[in-house]
Amino acid sequence: MAITVEKPGIDGLEEAVAELREWQSDGVAWQLHPGDLGWFWRKGPEETAASVRIWRRDGRILAVGFLDGADLLRFTTAPDVRRDEELARRVAEDVASPERGVLPEGNVFVEAPPDALLQEVLPGHGWHVDDEEPWTPLSLDLTEPVKAPDLRIETVGADLAAAWAEVIGTAFNGSTFTAEKWRTMAAGPAFADARCLLGYDDRGAAVAAVAVWSAGPGKPGLLEPMGVHRDQRGHGYGRAITVAAAAALRELGSSSAVVNTPSSNVAAVTTYKSGGFQPWPETRDLTRDA
Ligand SMILES: CC(C)(COP(=O)(O)OP(=O)(O)OC[C@H]1O[C@@H](n2cnc3c(N)ncnc32)[C@H](O)[C@@H]1OP(=O)(O)O)[C@@H](O)C(=O)NCCC(=O)NCCS
């Protein structure tokens, strides 16, 4: 039976989130996580569905791709088809053919797990490794308890959504995050296993924010996003909210906490290391030859 690629409806999206949860494992440096779709869900279910591609064989979902922006396809597969030749060849053809609706023409990028056969197949199809923006995945094993953060932490519900949105808004340049977007995100299927946390300083001001996304017990959980108020940097709040995030994921049953950040974001990489995270070897996207 041939492999097909499709854009899911809202129902298909929930199926894709469920598969992504199943596929997470501690043995892989980095791969697309259900929390990535959960965070994107702030833009609404329609836009999220429009950004997802699903590859099937005999009705079974083999792989999920997520257009994180117009030019980047983030891709992962079920663990047992990571080296499947038919799948790798089919995806290589699909990303090379704009008419198939996976990636547009022009300068585009693919992120795939380091152990995916696609990493070896795409270079034979006119793609090369993008050396301009290496990424650093980091993870923290959660077998042992995490020490308590030295910051008052609150779990965010609808009442604290505006405060959480404000901290995230000031932390990221150009962020347009709002309480309304928080409510949209919180209504998505991946949020059932997520927590948003806010950290408060001694004066009672909200200074740091993070969202954590469990993929279920015994699976790695994701931090996305994490940020400290622009005017409150350099006081240890980044480290404290990172530690609080790890503790929340441990409570949710996660086996580890994972995160991925551009290596050029030295403040973020240092903060995660300072919170006990260990870096994996850098990863790089693939990009189509000009
Ligand atoms: C990354 C960020 C959260 C750090 O917050 P912070 O409160 O200033 O960090 P902390 O004070 O807790 O510092 C933690 C560690 O990082 C180091 N650090 C912080 N900013 C740094 C910088 N700009 N350059 C180098 N190191 C830096 C600190 O020295 C400290 O290291 P140490 O524990 O080894 O002494 C903050 O800069 C931020 O919100 N950035 C924008 C959002 C972002 O990039 N988020 C992460 C990606 S999702």
Side-chain angles (χ1 to χ4, degrees), residues 171-172 224 226-228 232-239 261 265-268 270-272 274:
F172 290 91
E224 175 70 1
M226 183 281 286
V228 167
Q232 302 290 339
R233 306 246 165 107
H235 303 299
Y237 300 146
R239 178 176 49 243
T261 187
N265 191 347
V266 176
T270 312
T271 297
Y272 292 126
S274 169

Side-chain angles (χ1 to χ4, degrees), residues 118-133:
L118 190 63
Q119 296 276 8
E120 290 144 55
V121 169
L122 274 182
H125 282 71
W127 292 67
H128 63 274
V129 171
D130 172 36
D131 277 321
E132 280 178 29
E133 187 159 54

